[in-house]
Amino acid sequence: MEMVPSEENQLVPKEGMLWSCRQSIFEEMKKKFAQIENAAEEPRVLCIIQDTTNAKTVNERLTLNLPASTSLAKLFEDVAHKAGYVNGTFDLTWGNMADMAPLDHGSEMSLTESGFEAGKKNFLQLTDKDGEQPQIASDESGTADSSGLDDSSQDRFIGPLPRDGTTGCSSDYSSPSYSYSSILNKSETGYVGLVNQAMTCYLNSLLQTLFMTPEFRNALYNWEFEESEEDPVTSIPYQLQRLFVLLQTSKKRAIETTDVTRSFGWDSSEAWQQHDVQELCRVMFDALEQKWKQTEQADLINQLYQGKLKDYVRCLECSYESWRIDTYLDIPLVIRPFGSTQAFGSVEEALQAFIQPETLDGPNQYFCERCKKKCDARKGLRFLHFPYLLTLQLKRFDFDYTTMHRIKLNDRMTFPEELDMSPFIDVEDESPQTESCTDSGAENEGSCHSDQMSNDFSTDDGVDEGICLDNTSSTERTLKPKSSLTFELFSVMVHSGSAAGGHYYACIKSFSDGQWYSFNDQHVSKITQDDIRKTYGGSSGTRGYYSSAFASSTNAYMLIYRLKDPSRNAKYLDVEDFPEHIKRLVQKEKESEEQEKRQREIERNTCKIKLFCMHPVKMMMVENKLEVHKDKTLKEAVEIAYKLMDLEALVPLDCCRLVKYDEFHEYLERSYEGEEDTPMGLLLGGVKSSYMFDLLLETRRPDQVFQPYKPGEVMVKVHVVALKSETIAPPVSVRAYLNQTVTEFKQLIAQATGLSAETMRVVLERCYNDLRLLYVPNKTLKAEGFFRSNKVFVESSDSTDHQVTFTDSLLWKLLDRHGNTIRLFVSLPEQAPGSLAGRTLCQKAGGEPGEAFEGPKGSRKSVEAILEESTEKLKNLSLQQQEEQQGSSASDSQKSSDASDFEHIESPSQEADSAPSVSAADNRDLENRIRAASGSGGGGGTSDPENPFPSEERSDSDVNNDRSTSSVDSDILSSSHSSDTLCNADSGPLPLAGGLCGADGAPLPLANGLDSHSITSSRRSKAHEGKKETWDTAEEDSGTDSEYDENGKSKAEAQYLYFRAEPCSLEDGSAEGQKCLLVHVDKRITLAAFKQNLEPFVGVSSSQFKVFRVYANNQEFESVRLNETLSSFSDDNKITIRLGRALKKGEYRVKVYQLLVNDPEPCKFLVDSVFAKGMTVRQSKEELLPQLRDQCKLDLSIERFRLRKKTWKNPGTVFLDYHVYEEDINISSNWEVFLEVLDEPEKMKSMSQLAILTRRWRPAHMKLEPFQEVVLESSSVDELKEKLSEISGIPLENLEFAKGRGTFPCDISVLEIHQDLDWNPKVSTLNVWPLYICDDGAVVFYRDKTEEPMELSEEERTELMKKESSRLLKTGHRVSYSPRKEKALKIYLDGGPTKDPGQD
């Protein structure tokens, strides 16, 4: 720019130059604003990135909201900037799985071109690149070592200590979650984690501690496995060796421990068992000792971990000392002494308390062998030998005797990093000692173990793996260097949680660099001394009794120290120093890991997508999963899919192609013409964990040509409707555009179907039964509500139907019927030859028969003729029966009533009486003709209102007197769910789909001119609201619906909905001869109308058969609510028809059980019956008699059995013959009642009487006598005693009684009854505390107080105890709740537990 001098001799730009500079700046700003404006209008892509490269960041999410045009390279830059990494040192992959191919970090493709979706969440993972950790951006060098992170980078990590008071654990009770990809690459610490199988955190903590112990690791490496001697799968040392090798050499972030646990003999269920880490340590050491017998490592555990102590008692009078040598592998330290309110403050305090002697005095005096008398003495422990590796267990788990529960003590207990153990050795000990020990103590249960040795110890040949006081004088011992008793802490096993469960992890110091690490399952991270101090436990407040309750639940549980002795402290073996057999093992594991990596790489580049195909032979949609490498071409993928669908012998390969498909909407999105050589990875948008679309393998005939499918098209299934034949044709697929008008769409349909576009009516079904007539010519399909996949009905005729309102048109009625019709399979009951002739056919006349969707008119007429003939015969039969009933005596009425009930028409004599005007041959012929007619309709019309069925005109007294003819058959389900309603299991009756009421609640007109009330037959119908009591309210009380209204008129007569039935055969292997109907029915029909339509096919009145719905598991539940519709049914549901009278108004199904008071199982199911409101108990007993005789082979007289209340298994109130159901006895649906057979006539005559079940206890014979019933006139204790004295012969003054406990029969062990029951309560009446005997059925035990119990030897008592336990276990009594026991931790040396063959 040219400059000129100004007045102040300063150089300034020329005026023209200044203007041009301003202009260029303005242009640049305009461009920037335009870019910003375009970006604001541009769709945005939301990217959510999970950083899986670091244990601290695995739970973090980075969020970027970028314009859709952003390139992949720019995405990598933004991620690097936000994550703090150097760009190019990491990869980005799709999804949250390990099999994703990384994105190209240098690509200039936009995000949308790379498979990102605008307006949706796009999940990515940030992973290591080529197995290397991402480099962290630094101001100085651009990279930073993990040990030199600045504060800002440290803040973004999720450390092992997410909050104060917890360490290395995201919660107190569970290990942090992880994804598979997060364990593929090694932690930046250089250490490898262990995967938690489920609840194996305790195992992981111990394994990491052993691995970080140089002496144990090196000794394990020196052991060589001989494959010829043992199976490697069951060899515990070998699997530990493999695990340690992988922990040291693997490049993974975490490795599995399943091979180790399998060598323990554990199955997968053991992974779900929580155990104590100290218990595992003991059991594992014991198993290793067993496996290492007769090897160089046989004494390894003892040399490293075993110490010795003396358990002594010293007489305070003569100083005589009795002692025993014990060995230990760990020292248990009490947190809080028993009975104390204050915990020990430090490990040193707890150690001092451990060796603090106690004085035995008073009643606890010790008998001195030297003094020959009881003397005061001092009892205590002395440490003789400390192990090289000192293990301290902090006993944080205790038992609270107040609450009787296990508790965890969270009190604060400090522990030093260096522990001096010299103060805890008693230098005054003069007893001879030796450093040798022959018993490791691993097999003992406690923490301190007796080696059961005498004072004669064999000395070890100079092996000095611990600190031992030898036989030198005390002066020499005190001169031992103090440093030899100094231990350094290197492992803290932490427990987070409660006594009920929690989480373990380990804080371990590496002996190679002195750094502390947190080994928390698969996560390994650096920690500091401050983190170790947080595991002390407790709170910042003062120590007190309740301090533990408010303290942190994360605290140290086991501490492991190593002796500080530079001459003996080992270092970890380097890989180059491994023994040869370990080097071979390393190479073997490396090859295995490489193979796994290669396989994983193949998986990462494999596209897995759902594949569908309409099978050309089966004509059904077949589904499979297509797995194809991303570099395979579309042509190769078609060949793979062709073979996968097994089409080689059916269709030529060149007649198949793959197209993009949306299975949910059944929508063909696009075809791939000209892209046969395009790689599948590019076609599918990359390798993803899941795709938003599917693939369809489309087939064609050789003479056909594939139709191209272009993106943006919508698919329409067109059904052609023929009004004349009232048929709806199968769909024809048409593809259209959303911006097409209705007129253009009609022309498109006209080309596909050949119909006239001028007279065409198009109806769109937007959702279920939502019909929309497309009548605006210029309206677009999008405005009409078209979507990806659509369904339309078209009709083009010259009829006048198009001139009426659409909702009143025949087209609407036909479509409405079509949308609400379902297909059901109905299994009919098997009928004996000739039996149908005697059964009453109740088809009504005058109804409009159902019409088929398809089929000739002639077929329908033949069915109509059959039905008319059937109805005329039935009317004649009904009139004749009515005349007979009106003109006959009461007995004739009874007989006529019997004739209308199918169960008593089986006999020839009754057949003749019931239907003299209709021969058996006529009825059989009628049945055959109805069955043979194709598309036969079931009627559903109305009968003559003046001629209702005579069987329904009987009075209540007639009904009650005729109960023996109306019992249900024996095939009814005994399940308590037999009154299942036609509704969803978790909801009430389903509403009609699409809605049937207007905004003001008024019923809308339907296709057949009926309103919604007539269709739904609502139980809340107000049709009879002017009457005080309607059949509705009665049904609410009875739990079922009546099939007939108060005038005896069938409720199905008031309406007609579509019904069509035809014979069919089931493919489920039904019994031969089983009849089946394929029924097409409007699901808005009520169950009552549905049953009416089935009458001609079943052959009996709808009141004489029951409907059972069959579910997927072949369970059958009876449908009884007649006013409910079939709206809960769907296509191909199965229904079973069973003969037996259906419930009427005020009737209840009742389950009858026999009460057997002296049987081992006192409750036995007998029959299902029907009791009615207003029926007396005697009438119900009369009805039960034939059922009991026919079904249960019980031939009883009405005077020799009673009915009584049943409450679970307890017998209750005795029902007297004159009691009336609903008046004196409350009754409900699925009611249960006891039937009790009497040995003598009924003694219960009045409600004021009380029936007591009594049982005599004979202590001299140790047995209980059978039950006897005592009937009392009052609730007097004296009367009870008098009755008991009368039946037993026990003098009144010697008789004692007690009330039984629990449920009937109040079983109790004969070893306990004499003492445990409350004998002879001091009360005068039975209805007060502690007896509360106010109802029949109470159990009373009684005895003679002068009778002494039998004297039993110990063997007899034991044998009797076993018998009683077995007896009570079988009867299920006295079995109290027992919480789930903890499974004992075991390691099986033979490869697995041996199971008892008799055990479940």
Side-chain angles (χ1 to χ4, degrees):
M1 186 180 294
E2 186 179 353
M3 309 295 288
V4 295
S6 66
E7 294 179 357
E8 290 83 7
N9 294 322
Q10 294 179 342
L11 292 177
V12 295
K14 284 185 179 180
E15 200 170 310
M17 298 293 291
L18 185 64
W19 174 255
S20 63
C21 184
R22 285 177 179 173
Q23 193 71 16
S24 63
I25 293 173
F26 180 70
E27 292 295 332
E28 287 294 324
M29 290 177 65
K30 280 180 65 178
K31 289 181 182 179
K32 289 287 184 184
F33 281 127
Q35 289 177 2
I36 294 172
E37 188 175 359
N38 293 336
E41 295 175 355
E42 186 180 353
R44 312 287 290 186
V45 174
L46 180 62
C47 303
I48 300 174
I49 302 109
Q50 178 189 20
D51 187 352
T52 64
T53 61
N54 192 298
K56 301 172 183 176
T57 62
V58 72
N59 292 322
E60 280 193 346
R61 299 293 186 272
L62 305 176
T63 305
L64 296 173
N65 195 6
L66 304 173
S69 60
T70 304
S71 66
L72 279 180
K74 183 67 169 64
L75 170 67
F76 273 84
E77 290 178 14
D78 291 347
V79 171
H81 176 73
K82 191 153 187 174
Y85 292 141
V86 175
N87 192 13
T89 63
F90 59 88
D91 278 333
L92 291 177
T93 61
W94 282 106
N96 55 3
M97 294 179 63
D99 54 354
M100 300 297 106
L103 300 174
D104 185 0
H105 63 85
S107 173
E108 291 300 323
M109 291 176 61
S110 68
L111 296 182
T112 51
E113 292 172 339
S114 303
F116 288 77
E117 296 189 56
K120 296 184 179 179
K121 295 179 181 178
N122 297 269
F123 292 95
L124 301 172
Q125 283 192 347
L126 192 152
T127 61
D128 299 338
K129 186 176 179 66
D130 301 326
E132 297 292 332
Q133 288 279 313
Q135 296 180 16
I136 298 173
S138 171
D139 293 338
E140 298 177 3
S141 62
T143 62
D145 186 69
S146 60
S147 61
L149 302 179
D150 59 16
D151 292 339
S152 62
S153 63
Q154 289 276 13
D155 291 341
R156 60 184 292 280
F157 291 153
I158 296 177
L161 306 171
R163 62 178 187 272
D164 291 341
T166 61
T167 306
C169 180
S170 62
S171 71
D172 285 347
Y173 298 99
S174 63
S175 176
S177 61
Y178 67 98
S179 62
Y180 180 70
S181 61
S182 69
I183 67 171
L184 295 181
N185 301 297
K186 204 165 187 174
S187 163
E188 75 281 356
T189 62
Y191 291 102
V192 178
L194 295 174
V195 176
N196 190 336
Q197 296 181 37
M199 295 182 181
T200 56
C201 53
Y202 66 97
L203 172 67
N204 293 348
S205 302
L206 180 62
L207 291 175
Q208 292 283 19
T209 297
L210 295 178
F211 172 73
M212 295 294 286
T213 306
E215 292 77 9
F216 186 89
R217 189 204 296 187
N218 297 346
L220 185 64
Y221 283 170
N222 288 328
W223 174 81
E224 185 172 359
F225 173 67
E226 297 291 340
E227 193 164 352
S228 59
E229 298 178 2
E230 189 179 7
D231 184 359
V233 174
T234 60
S235 174
I236 297 173
Y238 176 68
Q239 293 301 335
L240 279 177
Q241 198 177 69
R242 282 188 63 236
L243 183 77
F244 281 18
V245 165
L246 289 172
L247 285 173
Q248 189 167 352
T249 62
S250 176
K251 294 181 180 179
K252 291 182 179 180
R253 182 179 297 277
I255 57 177
E256 299 279 353
T257 58
T258 49
D259 289 339
V260 174
T261 55
R262 193 178 293 114
S263 71
F264 291 171
W266 294 359
D267 56 21
S268 58
S269 65
E270 289 286 349
W272 295 92
Q273 295 288 334
Q274 290 190 357
H275 290 296
D276 186 280
V277 68
Q278 185 262 352
E279 180 188 12
L280 173 69
C281 182
R282 302 305 322 289
V283 174
M284 185 188 290
F285 282 175
D286 185 36
L288 287 172
E289 282 188 319
Q290 296 294 323
K291 289 286 187 178
W292 274 334
K293 281 183 177 179
Q294 299 177 352
T295 68
E296 292 181 6
Q297 289 74 20
D299 203 38
L300 176 67
I301 301 299
N302 294 343
Q303 292 172 8
L304 295 180
Y305 294 95
Q306 182 175 275
K308 279 188 273 184
L309 53 78
K310 177 195 283 189
D311 187 349
Y312 69 91
V313 181
R314 176 175 290 178
C315 176
L316 295 180
E317 294 188 14
C318 66
S319 297
Y320 173 78
E321 187 176 283
S322 172
W323 52 273
R324 181 180 86 232
I325 301 297
D326 285 339
T327 61
Y328 63 88
L329 294 180
D330 54 67
I331 302 174
L333 299 180
V334 175
I335 298 290
R336 186 192 301 166
F338 182 75
S340 173
T341 61
Q342 193 167 357
F344 294 123
S346 65
V347 163
E348 293 90 340
E349 281 186 43
L351 280 168
Q352 193 61 49
F354 185 81
I355 62 173
Q356 182 69 32
E358 61 173 321
T359 301
L360 304 177
D361 55 8
N364 295 324
Q365 276 188 322
Y366 164 72
F367 185 84
C368 179
E369 295 291 338
R370 182 178 295 176
C371 300
K372 301 299 182 183
K373 66 174 183 177
K374 285 192 173 183
C375 304
D376 289 351
R378 183 170 293 165
K379 182 182 187 329
L381 300 170
R382 294 194 190 106
F383 287 112
L384 304 180
H385 174 92
F386 287 119
Y388 179 69
L389 298 172
L390 179 65
T391 304
L392 303 179
Q393 181 204 4
L394 309 185
K395 298 183 70 175
R396 293 196 173 274
F397 298 109
D398 204 351
F399 191 81
D400 188 340
Y401 287 93
T402 305
T403 62
M404 302 302 290
H405 286 95
R406 288 181 65 196
I407 59 171
K408 183 183 177 187
L409 303 175
N410 293 312
D411 301 87
R412 178 181 175 85
M413 176 174 277
T414 64
F415 46 86
E417 188 171 2
E418 289 193 357
L419 178 62
D420 183 9
M421 294 298 289
S422 58
F424 306 108
I425 287 190
D426 191 349
V427 295
E428 296 179 0
D429 182 20
E430 297 291 342
S431 57
Q433 307 294 339
T434 179
E435 60 197 52
S436 175
C437 182
T438 60
D439 180 18
S440 71
E443 63 193 24
N444 296 299
E445 292 291 336
S447 295
C448 294
H449 310 278
S450 170
D451 57 10
Q452 304 298 325
M453 295 188 299
S454 66
N455 292 342
D456 300 322
F457 299 105
S458 60
T459 59
D460 201 346
D461 296 334
V463 179
D464 184 15
E465 287 294 338
I467 293 74
C468 180
L469 299 180
D470 52 18
N471 294 336
T472 57
S473 66
S474 61
T475 306
E476 290 172 321
R477 286 197 298 271
T478 57
L479 294 177
K480 276 252 185 185
K482 189 175 180 180
S483 61
S484 64
L485 294 177
T486 302
F487 290 79
E488 64 175 322
L489 179 70
F490 78 95
S491 176
V492 180
M493 281 178 251
V494 182
H495 181 268
S496 177
S498 67
H503 177 61
Y504 284 101
Y505 61 95
C507 299
I508 306 174
K509 182 173 74 172
S510 170
F511 287 114
S512 59
D513 59 5
Q515 171 67 46
W516 280 93
Y517 297 92
S518 169
F519 290 84
N520 191 352
D521 289 337
Q522 67 272 11
H523 299 295
V524 184
S525 55
K526 292 181 179 181
I527 56 175
T528 64
Q529 283 292 337
D530 287 338
D531 298 325
I532 300 299
R533 283 190 283 272
K534 289 176 183 177
T535 66
Y536 290 163
S539 56
S540 57
T542 58
R543 287 183 291 134
Y545 185 75
Y546 292 106
S547 64
S548 176
F550 304 101
S552 167
S553 65
T554 302
N555 33 54
Y557 181 61
M558 275 185 71
L559 311 173
I560 302 183
Y561 287 83
R562 185 176 78 164
L563 176 67
K564 289 190 71 173
D565 186 351
S567 64
R568 293 165 49 197
N569 293 156
K571 293 183 179 180
Y572 304 114
L573 277 179
D574 291 328
V575 175
E576 54 269 16
D577 299 328
F578 281 172
E580 287 301 318
H581 64 276
I582 297 296
K583 289 182 178 179
R584 291 194 297 270
L585 181 60
V586 170
Q587 185 61 30
K588 179 181 176 183
E589 295 299 331
K590 186 177 180 181
E591 292 173 359
S592 175
E593 198 167 294
E594 287 296 325
Q595 176 62 28
E596 183 184 342
K597 187 176 180 180
R598 285 193 295 271
Q599 186 61 35
R600 195 165 58 245
E601 190 64 28
I602 294 173
E603 290 289 322
R604 288 178 55 164
N605 290 293
T606 299
C607 302
K608 299 176 182 178
I609 188 169
K610 276 186 181 181
L611 175 68
F612 294 89
C613 176
M614 177 59 71
H615 198 278
V617 176
K618 299 178 183 177
M619 294 309 296
M620 58 182 293
M621 192 66 79
V622 182
E623 179 183 348
N624 215 317
K625 190 172 187 179
L626 177 65
E627 297 185 7
V628 57
H629 195 276
K630 66 174 185 177
D631 296 333
K632 293 278 187 182
T633 63
L634 176 62
K635 185 177 181 180
E636 293 171 316
V638 170
E639 188 173 352
I640 295 171
Y642 177 73
K643 294 178 180 177
L644 186 64
M645 288 299 182
D646 199 19
L647 301 179
E648 288 95 330
L650 305 175
V651 181
L653 177 60
D654 57 359
C655 291
C656 300
R657 70 169 178 176
L658 285 174
V659 296
K660 193 175 181 180
Y661 178 60
D662 181 354
E663 186 261 342
F664 181 78
H665 295 101
E666 298 182 9
Y667 170 56
L668 297 169
E669 294 192 21
R670 62 158 297 185
S671 54
Y672 299 104
E673 283 80 11
E675 299 186 69
E676 288 77 11
D677 296 326
T678 306
M680 288 299 292
L682 193 59
L683 279 182
L684 300 179
V687 181
K688 300 181 182 180
S689 58
S690 62
Y691 292 88
M692 301 298 292
F693 56 90
D694 313 301
L695 290 179
L696 174 73
L697 183 63
E698 197 175 20
T699 61
R700 63 174 175 86
R701 295 194 301 271
D703 57 338
Q704 288 181 321
V705 178
F706 280 127
Q707 177 185 354
Y709 305 140
K710 299 177 182 178
E713 293 177 332
V714 295
M715 195 167 77
V716 185
K717 292 183 177 179
V718 180
H719 294 263
V720 177
V721 180
L723 291 183
K724 291 183 179 179
S725 61
E726 295 188 0
T727 58
I728 298 177
V732 175
S733 293
V734 173
R735 295 181 71 84
Y737 290 96
L738 290 176
N739 57 1
Q740 278 182 326
T741 63
V742 171
T743 302
E744 294 170 341
F745 182 55
K746 286 183 178 180
Q747 293 171 354
L748 187 65
I749 294 175
Q751 294 175 4
T753 61
L755 299 176
S756 169
E758 285 75 17
T759 59
M760 183 181 295
R761 284 184 292 174
V762 180
V763 179
L764 169 67
E765 186 179 72
R766 291 192 296 184
C767 57
Y768 169 71
N769 213 24
D770 178 15
L771 303 175
R772 180 185 183 92
L773 180 66
L774 309 184
Y775 60 89
V776 181
N778 296 326
K779 205 170 184 179
T780 64
L781 300 187
K782 183 176 182 180
E784 290 285 8
F786 277 68
F787 191 56
R788 285 184 170 187
S789 183
N790 309 274
K791 182 178 181 181
V792 300
F793 300 91
V794 297
E795 185 274 332
S796 180
S797 65
D798 53 1
S799 68
T800 59
D801 189 61
H802 67 277
Q803 298 174 0
V804 300
T805 307
F806 175 58
T807 53
D808 296 329
S809 65
L810 179 60
L811 175 62
W812 191 92
K813 293 177 182 178
L814 188 60
L815 296 180
D816 176 73
R817 188 182 76 185
H818 172 76
N820 287 288
T821 299
I822 55 175
R823 182 176 61 248
L824 302 175
F825 290 99
V826 180
S827 297
L828 300 177
E830 296 182 15
Q831 299 169 350
S835 64
L836 183 66
R839 295 194 175 125
T840 305
L841 292 175
C842 53
Q843 178 63 39
K844 312 296 186 297
E848 178 188 353
E851 294 179 341
F853 290 129
E854 302 176 35
K857 283 279 185 179
S859 173
R860 293 199 300 277
K861 286 182 179 179
S862 64
V863 176
E864 292 166 11
I866 292 170
L867 294 179
E868 286 178 9
E869 181 182 346
S870 160
T871 323
E872 288 301 319
K873 290 183 178 180
L874 289 171
K875 286 173 65 179
N876 295 334
L877 171 62
S878 299
L879 288 170
Q880 184 171 358
Q881 287 179 332
Q882 190 176 24
E883 291 169 2
E884 289 176 1
Q885 186 184 36
Q886 291 172 350
S888 63
S889 63
S891 60
D892 292 336
S893 174
Q894 175 73 26
K895 190 178 297 183
S896 175
S897 179
D898 287 349
S900 68
D901 197 308
F902 80 90
E903 291 190 359
H904 287 265
I905 301 177
E906 301 295 338
S907 63
S909 61
Q910 288 176 336
E911 288 175 15
D913 292 338
S914 62
S917 63
V918 183
S919 68
D922 288 342
N923 263 348
R924 279 197 296 271
D925 179 63
L926 173 63
E927 179 197 23
N928 294 334
R929 291 169 65 192
I930 291 178
R931 274 206 318 237
S934 61
S936 57
T942 61
S943 66
D944 186 351
E946 301 299 324
N947 295 302
F949 280 7
S951 61
E952 302 302 330
E953 283 191 341
R954 292 176 290 171
S955 65
D956 286 344
S957 61
D958 290 335
V959 173
N960 290 334
N961 290 331
D962 188 35
R963 288 298 162 187
S964 62
T965 67
S966 58
S967 58
V968 294
D969 56 344
S970 60
D971 61 3
I972 188 169
L973 292 175
S974 60
S975 165
S976 61
H977 302 286
S978 60
S979 62
D980 174 64
T981 60
L982 286 174
C983 59
N984 285 339
D986 56 349
S987 64
L990 295 176
L992 289 176
L996 292 171
C997 292
D1000 57 351
L1004 295 178
L1006 297 178
N1008 47 19
L1010 302 173
D1011 60 30
S1012 60
H1013 287 283
S1014 65
I1015 285 182
T1016 61
S1017 300
S1018 169
R1019 300 188 62 167
R1020 299 295 182 187
S1021 172
K1022 299 181 179 179
H1024 307 287
E1025 62 183 2
K1027 301 182 181 180
K1028 291 183 180 179
E1029 181 183 2
T1030 67
W1031 57 267
D1032 265 332
T1033 57
E1035 290 155 19
E1036 289 288 354
D1037 296 337
S1038 66
T1040 184
D1041 298 330
S1042 172
E1043 196 168 340
Y1044 298 86
D1045 61 20
E1046 291 184 338
N1047 298 321
K1049 189 178 295 185
S1050 167
K1051 292 178 184 176
E1053 298 172 12
Q1055 62 181 37
Y1056 169 72
L1057 288 173
Y1058 182 77
F1059 179 96
R1060 178 169 66 90
E1062 58 189 35
C1064 72
S1065 59
L1066 289 176
E1067 298 180 357
D1068 57 359
S1070 301
E1072 189 176 351
Q1074 178 82 25
K1075 299 177 185 176
C1076 179
L1077 292 178
L1078 176 62
V1079 175
H1080 296 268
V1081 62
D1082 193 316
K1083 63 181 178 182
R1084 294 169 296 188
I1085 197 171
T1086 63
L1087 179 62
F1090 180 67
K1091 290 182 67 177
Q1092 293 276 329
N1093 282 304
L1094 285 175
E1095 284 177 350
F1097 305 99
V1098 181
V1100 297
S1101 164
S1102 61
S1103 64
Q1104 305 299 328
F1105 65 85
K1106 297 167 288 185
V1107 175
F1108 289 85
R1109 184 172 182 176
V1110 183
Y1111 289 88
N1113 55 359
N1114 287 327
Q1115 276 191 303
E1116 296 181 354
F1117 291 130
E1118 185 180 1
S1119 300
V1120 297
R1121 300 198 179 275
L1122 298 169
N1123 279 348
E1124 291 183 2
T1125 66
L1126 304 187
S1127 56
S1128 66
F1129 285 75
S1130 56
D1131 277 338
D1132 298 333
N1133 280 175
K1134 294 181 181 178
I1135 287 175
T1136 298
I1137 304 298
R1138 298 197 184 280
L1139 297 179
R1141 191 175 60 70
L1143 295 181
K1144 300 178 184 176
K1145 179 182 66 173
E1147 292 183 339
Y1148 303 86
R1149 288 231 197 273
V1150 178
K1151 295 183 181 298
V1152 182
Y1153 294 81
Q1154 185 175 4
L1155 176 63
L1156 304 164
V1157 292
N1158 288 308
D1159 277 21
E1161 180 50 57
C1163 181
K1164 175 187 175 185
F1165 175 75
L1166 292 178
V1167 294
D1168 276 300
S1169 188
V1170 176
F1171 291 0
K1173 177 182 178 180
M1175 179 191 291
T1176 65
V1177 172
R1178 184 175 182 85
Q1179 288 171 339
S1180 63
K1181 288 167 66 176
E1182 289 173 349
E1183 180 173 327
L1184 280 172
L1185 282 173
Q1187 278 187 272
L1188 297 171
R1189 182 173 58 253
D1190 297 340
Q1191 299 178 31
C1192 308
K1193 311 303 180 187
L1194 286 176
D1195 196 1
L1196 304 173
S1197 69
I1198 200 166
E1199 304 297 337
R1200 286 303 176 92
F1201 75 93
R1202 65 160 65 130
L1203 299 180
R1204 65 190 303 169
K1205 183 179 180 181
K1206 178 180 181 291
T1207 307
W1208 194 36
K1209 292 187 177 181
N1210 297 313
T1213 308
V1214 175
F1215 299 148
L1216 305 181
D1217 283 354
Y1218 58 82
H1219 283 166
V1220 178
Y1221 296 113
E1222 288 288 14
E1223 294 181 11
D1224 303 309
I1225 303 169
N1226 290 327
I1227 188 170
S1228 61
S1229 184
N1230 287 326
W1231 199 49
E1232 294 182 346
V1233 67
F1234 267 132
L1235 181 148
E1236 185 178 11
V1237 179
L1238 302 175
D1239 297 327
E1240 53 188 17
E1242 178 66 82
K1243 294 180 182 179
M1244 293 288 291
K1245 304 295 183 184
S1246 168
M1247 289 294 291
S1248 62
Q1249 292 174 305
L1250 199 60
I1252 306 293
L1253 292 168
T1254 65
R1255 197 171 190 186
R1256 182 172 180 178
W1257 160 238
R1258 302 298 297 267
H1261 302 87
M1262 298 296 286
K1263 72 174 185 178
L1264 286 161
E1265 293 186 349
F1267 279 103
Q1268 287 182 285
E1269 185 179 78
V1270 170
V1271 178
L1272 305 178
E1273 301 299 326
S1274 65
S1275 297
S1276 169
V1277 170
D1278 292 338
E1279 184 185 358
L1280 173 62
K1281 286 188 173 183
E1282 289 171 4
K1283 294 278 187 180
L1284 293 178
S1285 176
E1286 181 183 328
I1287 64 174
S1288 65
I1290 301 174
L1292 202 58
E1293 63 274 11
N1294 295 336
L1295 191 141
E1296 293 182 334
F1297 75 95
K1299 182 184 177 183
R1301 296 173 181 167
T1303 58
F1304 185 81
C1306 306
D1307 258 331
I1308 186 171
S1309 171
V1310 296
L1311 295 171
E1312 300 171 357
I1313 186 173
H1314 204 71
Q1315 299 85 15
D1316 283 8
L1317 293 184
D1318 184 13
W1319 290 98
N1320 214 28
K1322 306 301 181 184
V1323 292
S1324 58
T1325 58
L1326 300 175
N1327 56 1
V1328 297
W1329 184 86
L1331 298 177
Y1332 286 123
I1333 298 176
C1334 306
D1335 196 7
D1336 303 326
V1339 173
V1340 169
F1341 297 99
Y1342 65 96
R1343 70 183 180 189
D1344 186 343
K1345 69 178 181 181
T1346 62
E1347 186 177 345
E1348 293 295 327
M1350 177 192 295
E1351 292 291 337
L1352 296 173
S1353 65
E1354 195 60 37
E1355 291 78 12
E1356 290 174 332
R1357 180 174 292 276
T1358 303
E1359 186 64 28
L1360 185 58
M1361 189 181 297
K1362 289 180 181 178
K1363 289 182 179 178
E1364 285 295 282
S1365 298
S1366 176
R1367 178 179 70 86
L1368 294 174
L1369 190 63
K1370 287 178 182 177
T1371 59
H1373 286 83
R1374 291 186 63 85
V1375 178
S1376 59
Y1377 169 75
S1378 175
R1380 181 179 64 86
K1381 294 182 179 179
E1382 290 186 11
K1383 190 174 180 179
L1385 191 152
K1386 293 182 180 179
I1387 291 178
Y1388 304 95
L1389 302 180
D1390 54 355
T1394 56
K1395 294 184 178 179
D1396 184 357
Q1399 189 177 10
D1400 290 336

